[in-house]
Amino acid sequence: MQERFETFTVLINRISRNIKKIKNQEMEEYNLRSAHISCLYYIYSLNGATATDLCERCEEDKATISRALDYLETNGYITRNVESAKRYKNPLLLTDKGFEVGKKIADKIDNVLAVISGGLTEEERSEFYRCLSIISESLETVSKNSMK
């Protein structure tokens, strides 16, 4: 049982670390970090998004997304469609600079997915994601129950 736990946690941590490393290496020339990349990717692929959408998609808290969006707006990657009292509900759009980087991010993600999926059949990939979803949902349930 302990070996299973160690294997699981080491592999999950290694995957997470490698994803962050790839994000940081690929976007170093733009001085972007992991949260910036996730925001740009989702705004690009959804053709616009709100901060609330990004919190849900990126699985990040409001403060992290807010800081990332402030950085992206200040550095000319995004713009807000309209000004309103509810800044978190404002649609975010890519500038030309943001669109260029968003496309580069999306292309890189497609390439990485092609490489990591190369050794799997469609059935294996589907089963892997099904199992990963079950594990994720189970861990969420355990974490909520342990808070009581």
Side-chain angles (χ1 to χ4, degrees):
M1 187 69 96
Q2 183 176 348
E3 183 179 326
R4 229 173 68 197
F5 172 77
E6 290 170 359
T7 301
F8 174 77
T9 56
V10 165
L11 290 175
I12 293 296
N13 285 335
R14 187 181 302 157
I15 289 168
S16 179
R17 205 171 38 250
N18 283 322
I19 289 170
K20 286 180 182 178
K21 186 176 179 180
I22 290 167
K23 283 180 177 181
N24 290 335
Q25 287 172 344
E26 290 300 316
M27 294 293 118
E28 189 173 35
E29 68 184 277
Y30 297 103
N31 201 28
L32 297 174
R33 293 287 166 233
S34 186
H36 305 138
I37 294 164
S38 295
C39 289
L40 286 172
Y41 171 74
Y42 285 114
I43 297 169
Y44 174 83
S45 45
L46 297 171
N47 200 22
T50 65
T52 302
D53 296 332
L54 295 174
C55 285
E56 292 170 12
R57 299 269 182 167
C58 300
E59 289 281 330
E60 293 286 356
D61 60 54
K62 191 174 178 179
T64 300
I65 295 299
S66 184
R67 282 190 301 273
L69 294 177
D70 285 344
Y71 179 89
L72 293 170
E73 189 172 20
T74 299
N75 289 281
Y77 292 96
I78 63 169
T79 185
R80 295 179 192 277
N81 196 14
V82 293
E83 288 298 324
S84 76
K86 299 198 184 230
R87 216 168 129 84
Y88 235 64
K89 300 283 185 193
N90 277 349
L92 301 161
L93 301 172
L94 296 173
T95 62
D96 289 341
K97 178 181 178 180
F99 185 85
E100 175 189 323
V101 176
K103 180 169 179 11
K104 182 175 180 178
I105 292 166
D107 290 346
K108 180 62 179 182
I109 288 170
D110 288 344
N111 290 337
V112 168
L113 290 175
V115 169
I116 64 174
S117 297
L120 300 172
T121 66
E122 188 58 41
E123 294 79 27
E124 290 170 328
R125 185 175 22 265
S126 178
E127 182 64 12
F128 169 73
Y129 285 130
R130 187 186 74 74
C131 292
L132 200 55
S133 292
I134 291 169
I135 291 168
S136 178
E137 290 167 11
S138 298
L139 287 171
E140 191 169 341
T141 300
V142 168
S143 72
K144 285 179 182 177
N145 289 335
S146 68
M147 303 285 277
K148 295 179 181 179

